[in-house]
Amino acid sequence: MFAVVDIAGQQFVVTENKKIYVPKLSNEPDSEVVFDTVLLYNDDKNTKVGAPKVEGVKVHAKVLEHVKDDKVLVFKKKRRKSYKKKNGHRQQLTRIEITKIA
């Protein structure tokens, strides 16, 4: 059994007891969150495709922690102009565990 869920504008394939990193959510750690924008649902017999979402199917998840991703370096340079600029970015993520697809 799996589902495709839209979380904060990104699509994720989820199964029960799977741990994934998603863009930062405003929920506190150890709280439960429910996603109702399920785009596709498969229960090993039938496949339901939403237009735009599947009605009556929700994904329950537990927020585990808030973390930061690895640093991404942005380096700009223009040759022979003495122009160099170095910048870094760390994306904030939330680690969740899928508890139930119902």
Side-chain angles (χ1 to χ4, degrees):
M1 171 189 311
F2 71 92
V4 176
V5 184
D6 182 20
I7 302 172
Q10 296 182 7
Q11 297 177 6
F12 296 93
V13 178
V14 297
T15 58
E16 290 187 2
N17 300 324
K18 185 176 182 181
K19 296 175 183 169
I20 59 173
Y21 290 97
V22 298
K24 186 171 184 190
L25 303 174
S26 61
N27 301 67
E28 296 295 322
D30 294 330
S31 66
E32 184 166 329
V33 88
V34 178
F35 303 108
D36 58 351
T37 53
V38 178
L39 305 174
L40 183 134
Y41 175 70
N42 183 341
D43 62 352
D44 298 330
K45 297 175 187 170
N46 304 355
T47 300
K48 296 180 184 177
V49 179
K53 61 183 183 177
V54 179
E55 297 297 328
V57 179
K58 294 184 180 182
V59 174
H60 300 266
K62 179 181 177 185
V63 176
L64 298 177
E65 61 182 344
H66 298 292
V67 295
K68 285 186 175 182
D69 201 7
D70 294 335
K71 183 175 270 194
V72 177
L73 292 179
V74 179
F75 184 72
K76 298 178 181 180
K77 180 180 177 179
K78 293 184 181 177
R79 64 182 191 159
R80 294 188 300 267
K81 304 294 183 197
S82 296
Y83 173 76
K84 288 188 256 183
K85 187 169 186 173
K86 183 178 173 182
N87 198 357
H89 176 74
R90 291 186 73 182
Q91 187 71 32
Q92 295 187 354
L93 302 173
T94 300
R95 187 169 184 227
I96 62 172
E97 179 181 8
I98 307 301
T99 56
K100 181 171 68 169
I101 299 174

